[in-house]
Amino acid sequence: MPELPEVETTRRGLAPHARQRRIISLSVYEPRLRWPVPRSLARRVAGQRIRRVGRRAKYLLLHLDTGTLLVHLGMSGNLRAVPRGAPRAKHDQFDLVLDSGLALRFNDPRRFGSLLYTAGEPDEHPLLRGLAPEPFARAFSAEYLWRVTRRRRVAIKQLLMNSHLVVGVGNIYASEALFRARIRPTRATRTLTRAECARLVRSVRTVLRLAIRAGGTTLRDYLGADGLPGYFRQRLYVYERAGKPCRRCGTTLRALTQGARSTYYCPSCQK
Ligand SMILES: [Zn+2]
């Protein structure tokens, strides 16, 4: 599933092709995405200019003259710039044709992705309104993490993946950030010290930054905006490495299940 770094990689890949381009047309080949694509959308966006390509959590935001398109990649989607009229492949769901001769093409085999439009402030859209801070935002601070962890009973890994605390920290990045912060994923949140909270905030940012720089993590069905897979997978410390030696201390890494998700950790490095 594309996680925040993949979505940010897509944003950075597409922005130079999309920014300040006018939309000639929107062709929807399959309106039955996670939410149906409104029939009126093609008429609404035709002729509008894409002012900016932004992101909030895992939504790509195409800011237009009079509204915003919200694109979610779902479980298996990707959005790429292709030459206008390039032969269509299976699972191509829509084309946003631009005045540059390129089209932004959305491919999504499992159709959990979405294409929505809002005429209002995107932050006020029902899907974005209640979202927690972005991991790189100042609001996600050591003090904030410390305060939130005082009143929760779950294990720190589960809290970290809870999108009401911070958005965009999926399973891979939660596991990797906890390793870097030397905190065991099963630790009760209330036992975290202020210093550990500070380390964890830093680690979350470091892991996401490295993943974005590497173009996202290679997942079986993920492709970046240019169609190339990411290379972050080769740099993972613990994720899917159970039974292998810790890259830091050589101890055999372990796996366990937490909230139906696999968790990986080093029993020596993480306390
Ligand atoms: Zn270790």
Side-chain angles (χ1 to χ4, degrees):
M1 173 159 37
E3 298 207 41
L4 187 142
E6 284 79 8
V7 180
E8 179 60 21
T9 298
T10 300
R11 188 192 72 76
R12 292 181 185 189
L14 291 180
H17 299 297
R19 208 164 31 215
Q20 298 305 323
R21 303 306 337 185
R22 203 169 286 281
I23 297 171
I24 303 243
S25 62
L26 167 66
S27 301
V28 179
Y29 309 118
E30 174 52 88
R32 291 169 301 170
L33 300 182
R34 176 155 186 196
W35 291 286
V37 180
R39 273 167 186 269
S40 58
L41 196 55
R43 223 176 322 118
R44 276 197 111 144
V45 301
Q48 293 211 48
R49 203 155 30 122
I50 301 173
R51 295 184 171 267
R52 194 161 62 80
V53 184
R55 178 187 61 73
R56 178 69 172 107
K58 294 203 280 182
Y59 287 90
L60 288 165
L61 307 179
L62 305 182
H63 298 273
L64 311 181
D65 291 327
T66 65
T68 307
L69 280 170
L70 281 63
V71 181
H72 197 288
L73 303 180
M75 308 279 285
S76 56
N78 71 75
L79 187 67
R80 289 193 280 158
V82 300
R84 176 187 186 170
R88 266 161 58 197
K90 206 174 169 186
H91 308 304
D92 283 343
Q93 316 294 18
F94 67 79
D95 272 345
L96 204 56
V97 180
L98 308 179
D99 63 357
S100 59
L102 292 178
L104 305 186
R105 178 167 287 180
F106 185 67
N107 182 284
D108 186 4
R110 297 179 64 183
R111 292 199 274 119
F112 279 103
S114 57
L115 174 66
L116 297 164
Y117 178 83
T118 177
E121 268 302 307
D123 283 342
E124 294 302 315
H125 189 277
L127 291 167
L128 305 185
R129 198 165 44 205
L131 289 177
E134 287 286 318
F136 297 109
R138 201 174 298 171
F140 181 59
S141 64
E143 181 59 31
Y144 166 77
L145 185 60
W146 191 83
R147 234 180 323 110
V148 173
T149 49
R150 293 313 95 183
R151 44 188 161 89
R152 302 300 292 264
R153 288 182 172 274
V154 291
I156 183 58
K157 165 129 181 299
Q158 278 160 289
L159 184 65
L160 206 51
M161 289 179 61
N162 181 333
S163 59
H164 296 293
L165 172 85
V166 59
V167 298
V169 185
N171 199 23
I172 299 175
Y173 304 105
S175 297
E176 292 295 308
L178 285 163
F179 174 82
R180 285 169 182 266
R182 308 194 297 280
I183 299 166
R184 205 173 276 212
T186 48
R187 275 275 293 283
T189 55
R190 274 182 298 183
T191 65
L192 261 62
T193 63
R194 281 180 189 271
E196 285 174 325
C197 288
R199 280 211 306 266
L200 190 49
V201 166
R202 272 202 308 275
S203 301
V204 163
R205 290 184 178 147
T206 301
V207 164
L208 291 174
R209 202 174 290 124
L210 288 171
I212 292 165
R213 202 177 299 157
T217 305
T218 302
L219 297 173
R220 277 150 285 273
D221 53 5
Y222 175 73
L223 295 171
D226 57 359
L228 294 171
Y231 291 97
F232 186 64
R233 176 167 286 274
Q234 295 158 12
R235 306 172 62 175
L236 298 175
Y237 279 100
V238 288
Y239 186 77
E240 288 191 343
R241 293 196 67 243
K244 299 196 170 123
C246 172
R247 296 196 206 271
R248 189 183 276 154
C249 75
T251 303
T252 302
L253 298 178
R254 290 188 194 160
L256 55 82
T257 304
Q258 262 182 313
R261 306 297 299 270
S262 295
T263 291
Y264 305 88
Y265 69 99
C266 173
S268 304
C269 292
Q270 292 170 266
K271 306 289 178 205

